[in-house]
Amino acid sequence: MASTWQKVRGFYDWALENGDKRTDPWFLVYSPVPVTVTFIVYLLICKYGPKFMLTREPFSLKYVLIIYNFLLVGISSYMFWEFLVTSVRAEYSYRCQPVDYSNSELGLRMANVCWWFFFSKVIELMDTIFFIMRKKQNQVTFLHVYHHGTMIFNWWAGVKYVPGGQSFFIGLLNSFVHIVMYMYYGIAALGPHMQKYLWWKRYLTMLQLVQFLGIAAHTSYNLFTDCDFPDGFNLFVFLYIITIIILFCNFYYQTYIHGKRKTA
């Protein structure tokens, strides 16, 4: 037992000390403990939040949601711009791009936007909390919780070990999609009178699926080429994105195909 604990402790110490020294001092990066605690609290809220709200009236969060969603449009726009401009100025390859671990202006700029992308995933956990507070429990699906909960771990590891390189493509695509997505939610939060302008929800889901397929294609390409980017990260991203594609395809079918047939 002591030997097992020593091995676990040894691996933990190794994991702490072998991250990118540039990002280690940044908020929530050095140790996995804060993000793990955040994840546990998030799961507890998902489990017990609806029970807490069971005998209570739903909160009216109209103005909070308007500010929140348009704030995320702003953050996503900033990240998209930073990913795009930094990758272009640094002449990043869209096929194979190692991480620039230097303290150069562009190397640090890319690492910085990767941190913002990770932190935005922490902020986005509020999506779930707002659903629960509004008693929209039907929105808190397995797909929703799985995607939100795992993304904070995925991008903590990204910022800790590979802040840049291949990773920029995921951040670039996802930031663009989130500009569109949170714009949709922001318009919806303005009130029922805006529903006539939200006919494009199905196309938003299609855009999300195209994004995931693009990430899968980009990552799988690099699994079979000689690229100086950790294969372990590429393999993990590929397997993870396949699970997301399967879940999103099921969501699309249930919402836009099966659901339409039931109401026809």
Side-chain angles (χ1 to χ4, degrees):
M1 184 68 179
S3 177
T4 302
W5 170 248
Q6 287 173 353
K7 289 179 180 178
V8 170
R9 180 69 197 190
F11 176 77
Y12 176 76
D13 291 339
W14 177 89
L16 289 185
E17 298 304 324
N18 282 273
D20 186 340
K21 300 305 179 186
R22 301 171 306 165
T23 62
D24 270 348
W26 297 357
F27 184 54
L28 298 177
V29 176
Y30 178 66
S31 167
V33 172
V35 77
T36 302
V37 171
T38 301
F39 176 70
I40 292 170
V41 171
Y42 174 70
L43 291 183
L44 290 173
I45 291 173
C46 290
K47 181 175 177 59
Y48 295 106
K51 295 178 181 179
F52 175 79
M53 290 298 301
L54 199 60
T55 57
R56 292 169 172 81
E57 291 295 315
F59 285 86
S60 177
L61 301 173
K62 177 178 179 179
Y63 296 108
V64 173
L65 290 174
I66 292 171
I67 294 169
Y68 171 76
N69 285 304
F70 284 111
L71 176 65
L72 279 169
V73 170
I75 294 173
S76 299
S77 300
Y78 163 76
M79 293 187 299
F80 176 74
W81 175 258
E82 285 294 291
F83 277 121
L84 180 64
V85 171
T86 308
S87 62
V88 169
R89 285 188 58 194
E91 299 181 343
Y92 268 30
S93 168
Y94 279 75
R95 291 182 297 173
C96 167
Q97 182 58 51
V99 180
D100 177 3
Y101 289 106
S102 75
N103 286 312
S104 66
E105 176 193 352
L106 294 177
L108 287 171
R109 184 172 177 178
M110 183 58 79
N112 180 68
V113 69
C114 285
W115 179 87
W116 271 105
F117 191 77
F118 154 66
F119 190 63
S120 73
K121 299 308 166 192
V122 178
I123 296 172
E124 288 169 14
L125 296 179
M126 292 301 300
D127 291 1
T128 315
I129 295 172
F130 289 144
F131 280 141
I132 292 171
M133 291 176 69
R134 295 164 61 215
K135 300 185 79 167
K136 301 279 187 179
Q137 188 58 28
N138 62 311
Q139 302 285 344
V140 187
T141 61
F142 174 79
L143 167 60
H144 177 91
V145 175
Y146 172 70
H147 187 43
H148 278 65
T150 52
M151 281 298 284
I152 62 172
F153 279 112
N154 296 351
W155 273 87
W156 170 82
V159 176
K160 173 75 175 175
Y161 300 105
V162 287
Q166 288 284 102
S167 312
F168 92 96
F169 184 72
I170 300 172
L172 180 73
L173 280 186
N174 192 246
S175 296
F176 175 76
V177 171
H178 278 210
I179 294 170
V180 181
M181 187 181 78
Y182 283 106
M183 182 67 72
Y184 178 94
Y185 291 148
I187 294 171
L190 293 172
H193 64 287
M194 300 302 292
Q195 286 299 314
K196 59 186 176 182
Y197 302 111
L198 298 174
W199 50 267
W200 43 281
K201 182 179 180 182
R202 180 173 186 164
Y203 299 100
L204 173 58
T205 306
M206 291 171 67
L207 179 64
Q208 290 173 306
L209 274 169
V210 169
Q211 164 204 203
F212 298 136
L213 290 170
I215 293 170
H218 180 256
T219 306
S220 61
Y221 172 82
N222 282 279
L223 283 173
F224 301 102
T225 57
D226 185 18
C227 184
D228 189 17
F229 188 89
D231 282 339
F233 276 92
N234 270 330
L235 180 60
F236 174 81
V237 170
F238 179 74
L239 294 176
Y240 174 74
I241 212 68
I242 292 300
T243 67
I244 294 295
I245 290 171
I246 291 170
L247 289 169
F248 259 85
C249 283
N250 178 65
F251 169 78
Y252 186 91
Y253 174 77
Q254 295 297 335
T255 305
Y256 302 111
I257 299 175
H258 183 65
K260 294 288 185 182
R261 288 175 182 169
K262 288 180 68 175
T263 56

